[in-house]
Amino acid sequence: MKITRMHLKVVSFLIAIMFFLNYDKVEGLTKQEDEALERRLQLLNKPAVKTIKTEYGDIYDCVDFYQQPAFDHPLLKNHTYHPQMKPTFSLTKRDEEPSTLRNTAKILKDGGCPKGTVPIRRTTKEDLIREQNADRFNASYANGIFHFALEETSDDQNNKFTGAGAWMSIYAPKVQNNQWSASVVKLQNGRDQIQAGWRVDPILYGDTRARFFVLFKSGTTQCFNTRCKGFIIVNGQIPLDHIFPHVSKDGNIFEERFYIQKDLINGNWWLRYGSDSTQLGYWPAELFGGGLKNFASKAAWGGEAFSSGPTFPPMGTGQFPQRDTSVDAYCRKISVLNSAGKTTNTGPLSKFEDASALYQVSDKQTGDNEFGHLVFLGGPGSNK
């Protein structure tokens, strides 16, 4: 029988599915593979001053501030950062804004991590195997696996954004082991990008719960949370990767606030979180050699989804937006900061829907102080 390119694609697809069906197993590793994973775990998991196990089984190690993964980055070897670091910008009354809906922020039990230490979710061998399997799959099926439903500002170098954020409703769409679904706010300039929001991602986490995540891209480097060198944590109570204990369902809305803001004095990009704009940490200016070394030229809000198979997961509520906050996943009070660090109008937004039969997005200027400028997102996914 003649072997065609289609046959090879089918074989690659079946092999990848086998990897994902066994995404939580460690059997089958060669001795060299197992040793390589152990060496990587030693680099990622630093010595713990205190260990906290959550009710969901996650383990957070309280690591000395100066031993967190970020400082393994060669560009940060001669840093002057310290645990009491704060941004030079001051918070305004607008920044400390209680939600009229229910918050779902998660603070570590037992008082969190001791002073001078920060919480790092412990990486397991299973985490690395899932990541490795995903890389193998992507090498075979590199095209057509990401989909977007975003409302974006113009991508213009005359835009000099120093921040963006929103209140987001939290959902937990049902995804398969080889899929993920997320809601994001992001800032971008060229290939540099920073994201924050929530995601359901069994490839990254090994479960299907909604979790808090951040992501940065600098050139060809991409990194989630503290999985590699980059983000510097300063808060000892609210960890990255945490599971949201409550998610929106049947009209009961839970939400959280995510904000990214540049320090205009030193160029660090800060992550602010929750109703009181708690400063969780920052991406140092040294990480960015390109666009975000200066300003962001584009901001976006909405949803993203991924699948390595022929079907795609739901986004948001799993329904197309009806422009109604009681039934739609949303980002409310979306905002950007100008070059002076002042809140400014986003200007006209444009849709980026690369698969409108699966996912859609819509924005609405309400004139209401509670909801402000809204972005609605969602869709059933699939593509049978």
Side-chain angles (χ1 to χ4, degrees):
M1 182 180 70
K2 184 179 180 180
I3 303 299
T4 67
R5 182 175 296 179
M6 180 57 69
H7 287 119
L8 293 174
K9 284 188 175 182
V10 170
V11 170
S12 296
F13 177 78
L14 291 175
I15 290 172
I17 289 297
M18 290 172 64
F19 278 127
F20 278 106
L21 289 176
N22 295 280
Y23 73 95
D24 60 345
K25 297 181 180 179
V26 300
E27 294 88 350
L29 292 177
T30 67
K31 181 179 179 182
Q32 290 80 5
E33 288 175 327
D34 188 65
E35 289 174 347
L37 290 179
E38 289 292 344
R39 287 193 296 272
R40 191 171 173 206
L41 286 175
Q42 290 178 9
L43 290 173
L44 289 170
N45 295 324
K46 306 295 185 178
V49 173
K50 175 183 177 181
T51 295
I52 301 172
K53 187 173 183 178
T54 72
E55 61 266 45
Y56 305 104
D58 285 342
I59 295 176
Y60 286 91
D61 291 323
C62 296
V63 174
D64 184 280
F65 173 84
Y66 296 103
Q67 292 186 359
Q68 60 181 299
F71 295 126
D72 290 335
H73 197 293
L75 294 176
L76 302 179
K77 289 299 183 183
N78 298 314
H79 69 88
T80 57
Y81 301 124
H82 55 83
Q84 288 75 42
M85 281 281 292
K86 293 182 179 179
T88 60
F89 55 78
S90 58
L91 299 181
T92 66
K93 186 176 181 180
R94 176 190 175 93
D95 295 316
E96 298 180 358
E97 175 190 18
S99 170
T100 57
L101 299 173
R102 284 171 286 189
N103 300 99
T104 183
K106 184 61 181 173
I107 296 177
L108 289 173
K109 62 183 181 181
D110 301 328
C113 287
K115 186 176 181 180
T117 68
V118 295
I120 308 287
R121 180 175 176 268
R122 185 179 298 176
T123 301
T124 66
K125 189 177 293 185
E126 289 78 10
D127 291 332
L128 298 184
I129 291 172
R130 285 194 309 275
E131 181 182 288
Q132 196 173 73
N133 290 344
D135 288 342
R136 287 174 180 152
F137 194 101
N138 291 343
S140 300
Y141 262 69
N143 298 318
I145 53 179
F146 294 91
H147 284 314
F148 304 90
L150 300 167
E151 288 283 357
E152 302 178 325
T153 67
S154 61
D155 189 2
D156 186 341
Q157 289 300 316
N158 291 321
N159 291 334
K160 298 186 184 300
F161 298 133
T162 59
W167 284 93
M168 295 183 192
S169 55
I170 313 294
Y171 285 86
K174 293 183 179 180
V175 307
Q176 303 302 313
N177 290 342
N178 62 331
Q179 302 174 339
W180 55 253
S181 186
S183 179
V184 304
V185 54
K186 61 182 176 180
L187 286 167
Q188 187 170 350
N189 191 336
R191 301 180 73 176
D192 289 359
Q193 185 180 133
I194 296 174
Q195 294 186 16
W198 60 263
R199 69 194 292 115
V200 178
D201 189 343
I203 301 171
L204 185 62
Y205 296 114
D207 61 39
T208 55
R209 295 182 179 273
R211 289 179 180 261
F212 175 29
F213 87 99
V214 296
L215 168 73
F216 88 92
K217 297 180 182 180
S218 177
T220 59
T221 299
Q222 172 176 304
C223 187
F224 282 98
N225 307 310
T226 55
R227 188 62 68 86
C228 65
K229 312 151 193 169
F231 186 76
I232 297 176
I233 300 172
V234 298
N235 184 281
Q237 293 188 312
I238 303 176
L240 301 179
D241 298 295
H242 74 245
I243 290 171
F244 291 106
H246 306 289
V247 296
S248 306
K249 188 177 181 180
D250 300 328
N252 295 316
I253 310 300
F254 291 87
E255 62 174 18
E256 201 49 80
R257 191 184 194 205
F258 306 87
Y259 216 99
I260 304 160
Q261 183 172 356
K262 183 183 179 74
D263 188 318
L264 300 182
I265 301 300
N266 53 42
N268 298 332
W269 289 91
W270 281 81
L271 174 66
R272 292 165 33 198
Y273 178 75
S275 59
D276 58 356
S277 290
T278 300
Q279 295 146 3
L280 300 190
Y282 51 94
W283 294 270
E286 292 94 326
L287 295 178
F288 303 101
L292 289 181
K293 187 77 172 177
N294 300 303
F295 300 100
S297 60
K298 182 171 73 172
W301 302 260
E304 299 183 351
F306 167 91
S307 177
S308 57
T311 62
F312 286 81
M315 178 185 291
T317 63
Q319 299 180 349
F320 293 125
Q322 302 177 41
R323 296 169 64 86
D324 182 342
T325 55
S326 66
V327 296
D328 292 336
Y330 63 79
C331 304
R332 70 175 177 90
K333 299 197 80 168
I334 68 169
S335 62
V336 291
L337 301 177
N338 62 19
S339 60
K342 305 296 183 183
T343 301
T344 189
N345 194 296
T346 62
L349 300 181
S350 57
K351 299 179 190 295
F352 176 33
E353 296 175 342
D354 68 340
S356 59
L358 307 182
Y359 312 112
Q360 294 176 12
V361 66
S362 176
D363 78 309
K364 178 182 179 181
Q365 290 272 15
T366 67
D368 179 274
N369 187 54
E370 181 178 10
F371 292 100
H373 194 169
L374 276 161
V375 168
F376 304 99
L377 60 124
S382 192
N383 194 11
K384 296 180 181 179

